[in-house]
Amino acid sequence: MHEPKLIQLAASDPDLAALIEGEAQRQHDKLRMIASENYVSTAVLEATGTVLTNKYSEGYAGKRYYEGQQFVDQIELLAIERAKALFGADHANVQTYSGSPANLAIYLAFLDPGDTVLTMSLSSGGHLTHGSPVSVTGKWFRPVHYTVERETGRVDMSKVREMALAERPKLIICGGTAIPRTIDFPAFAEIAQEVGAILMADIAHIAGLVAGGAHPSPVGFADVVTTTTHKTLRGPRGAMIMAKAEHATAVDKAVFPGLQGGPHDHTTAGIAVALHEAAQPSFKDYAAQIVANAKALAAALTDHGFDLVSGGTDNHLVLVDLTNKGIGGKPAAKALDIAGIETNFNGVPFDTRRPLDPSGLRLGTPALTTRGLTEKHMPLVAAWMDRTVSAALNDDTSELAKIAGEVKELLSAFPMPGYTA
Ligand SMILES: *Cc1c(COP(=O)(O)O)cnc(C)c1O
């Protein structure tokens, strides 16, 4: 059953309540390995499901356009102070609706249409909002992209520097959605300084690892840091922008009134809760365990002959190139889903297949670590994946169902926040 209980909803709208209960059960029974997903605490669920959703608060604390901000101002200031303390940032803006608008706010704050931005290519692990041609960031600005190296799966910083010197970007972005290796923030900062560019670190995926000390921090190196709050940071759907003091006004103006209207105050409260949780000593253990689990998973997958981009991982994410297994990423992901293991198909660097039917599979350990799984379970997870790929190639649906049963059986011993049996 969902926790908090859906008592009123079940009475007033049983169809919808049943769908939400179904999703809670699904999240409980399956091994959730989508690298950008997690389970938030019941406290975060409670904060986001409050009367704060009724309030309008355009502006910033002490400078609002609507009355009645006696409590909302304090809530937003609490979230800001917690963000600044946790990451050691000069300035924090907690109003952006999600990661994509947070990134767009940075373009708005520092660029004019047509300006050059240097970012990691989508196929090497960058994000759509880093200048993909289908994104507004690619249509209205002039993106140039660095990539990983074909042989190593890693970025060669000397090539990033060469591109920066040749292209003279106004903005350089580091970070992405499918990067299994540590990002060298000091090296990016040095290049940005040399060419007079603003450096933005997009830590949407790794914010929880940074907060927990399991990945180096960009704070002090990047001019601005954007992040979602709902991935490894384990908060509600939302985002934050952190900035050096000199950029505080530009960032705040870009978010409001530049891009958005009223902030989602219930989300702000949920972010404040998550930041408080991330400041506890136990969150350091959580962050370290995410990485330990990913490394153990990478080793176990390698033992089963899986080919990993860059040969392994430094963080929460493993990118598998399935070419040598004779199966595409999409059929593999679909089979894994039937086998109770939730992943997403993903391109690999220099992929020869199409984006909707790519060669890779992206795996992450943030959610299963929240459930309490440790290194010792990762060989079993890798073995399930290997069996699933074989079963998919042999059209063996009963084997997939058998694996799903084993997954559910294991997970029944690991409580899920937001659910009670
Ligand atoms: C997830 C992600 C985003 C976008 O976040 P949304 O909340 O989905 O808009 C931006 N940048 C990176 C690197 C991401 O991983």
Side-chain angles (χ1 to χ4, degrees):
M1 295 284 282
H2 193 277
E3 184 68 41
K5 298 272 177 294
L6 308 176
I7 297 164
Q8 300 299 328
L9 188 64
S12 67
D13 193 341
D15 293 345
L16 184 68
L19 291 171
I20 296 174
E21 289 292 356
E23 173 64 12
Q25 188 73 47
R26 191 192 70 78
Q27 291 188 13
H28 178 265
D29 292 346
K30 281 169 73 175
L31 193 61
R32 298 179 55 235
M33 297 189 68
I34 292 176
S36 49
E37 294 186 351
N38 213 326
Y39 297 93
V40 300
S41 69
T42 310
V44 168
L45 290 176
E46 282 182 350
T48 53
T50 58
V51 294
L52 293 169
T53 198
N54 298 337
K55 191 71 197 102
Y56 240 101
S57 339
E58 286 184 356
Y60 292 100
K63 291 168 289 188
R64 306 281 190 187
Y65 290 79
Y66 297 80
E67 300 314 312
Q69 311 295 345
Q70 290 81 359
F71 297 96
V72 164
D73 272 6
Q74 294 183 62
I75 289 165
E76 188 172 321
L77 288 173
L78 193 58
I80 289 169
E81 288 312 314
R82 287 176 176 177
K84 284 163 63 178
L86 184 63
F87 290 94
D90 294 346
H91 178 73
N93 183 306
V94 296
Q95 292 194 0
T96 46
Y97 300 141
S98 214
S100 303
N103 288 352
L104 195 54
I106 301 306
Y107 287 80
L108 182 64
F110 297 105
L111 304 184
D112 291 312
D115 279 348
T116 300
V117 49
L118 175 61
T119 81
M120 193 176 215
S121 73
L122 191 61
S123 56
S124 277
H127 189 257
L128 283 167
T129 57
H130 300 179
S132 157
V134 298
S135 157
V136 63
T137 58
K139 292 181 196 292
W140 291 0
F141 302 93
R142 181 182 165 265
V144 287
H145 298 297
Y146 55 90
T147 64
V148 295
E149 297 300 296
R150 199 183 277 272
E151 307 76 43
T152 61
R154 295 171 191 246
V155 176
D156 178 345
M157 291 307 298
S158 68
K159 292 196 177 161
V160 177
R161 179 171 176 268
E162 274 169 33
M163 276 193 94
L165 287 168
E167 301 285 352
R168 293 278 155 182
K170 242 195 210 178
L171 175 68
I172 298 177
I173 301 180
C174 57
T177 60
I179 303 175
R181 294 297 181 179
T182 302
I183 301 163
D184 190 348
F185 299 122
F188 274 103
E190 203 172 301
I191 294 166
Q193 198 148 35
E194 189 176 356
V195 302
I198 293 283
L199 177 64
M200 165 180 145
D202 180 349
I203 60 167
H205 262 258
I206 55 171
L209 303 183
V210 170
H215 188 290
S217 174
V219 173
F221 297 104
D223 294 286
V224 286
V225 177
T226 63
T227 183
T228 59
T229 47
H230 48 269
K231 298 180 185 176
T232 51
L233 195 55
R234 213 162 59 177
R237 303 307 280 244
M240 307 193 299
I241 301 173
M242 291 172 282
K244 291 186 174 170
E246 68 212 78
H247 302 306
T249 307
V251 165
D252 282 354
K253 276 189 175 162
V255 173
F256 177 87
L259 200 59
Q260 299 188 171
H264 295 177
D265 298 322
H266 57 301
T267 299
T268 306
I271 291 172
V273 174
L275 290 167
H276 183 63
E277 292 174 356
Q280 305 310 310
S282 59
F283 198 84
K284 277 199 172 10
D285 301 337
Y286 171 59
Q289 190 65 53
I290 290 174
V291 176
N293 284 350
K295 285 180 184 288
L297 177 67
L301 287 168
T302 303
D303 287 345
H304 284 283
F306 285 96
D307 179 16
L308 310 186
V309 172
S310 83
T313 182
D314 299 325
N315 55 29
H316 64 298
L317 183 154
V318 176
L319 192 57
V320 186
D321 184 341
L322 290 167
T323 307
N324 70 340
K325 291 281 185 183
I327 190 169
K330 191 172 187 175
K334 295 229 171 279
L336 282 164
D337 193 52
I338 295 167
I341 301 173
E342 199 184 343
T343 65
N344 67 277
F345 60 82
N346 211 98
V348 297
F350 310 100
D351 208 325
T352 50
R353 297 168 66 113
R354 293 170 297 124
L356 266 173
D357 184 22
S359 304
L361 199 60
R362 191 184 66 161
L363 311 172
T365 54
L368 63 78
T369 305
T370 298
R371 287 296 287 273
L373 270 60
T374 63
E375 296 99 308
K376 69 170 191 272
H377 302 106
M378 295 306 115
L380 178 58
V381 172
W384 280 332
M385 291 186 167
D386 194 40
R387 281 169 59 195
T388 301
V389 166
S390 301
L393 290 169
N394 297 325
D395 274 329
D396 186 349
T397 47
S398 70
E399 170 77 341
L400 297 180
K402 185 158 175 283
I403 296 167
E406 294 173 27
V407 169
K408 188 174 165 182
E409 169 67 22
L410 175 80
L411 289 173
S412 66
F414 295 90
M416 166 184 152
Y419 177 93
T420 43

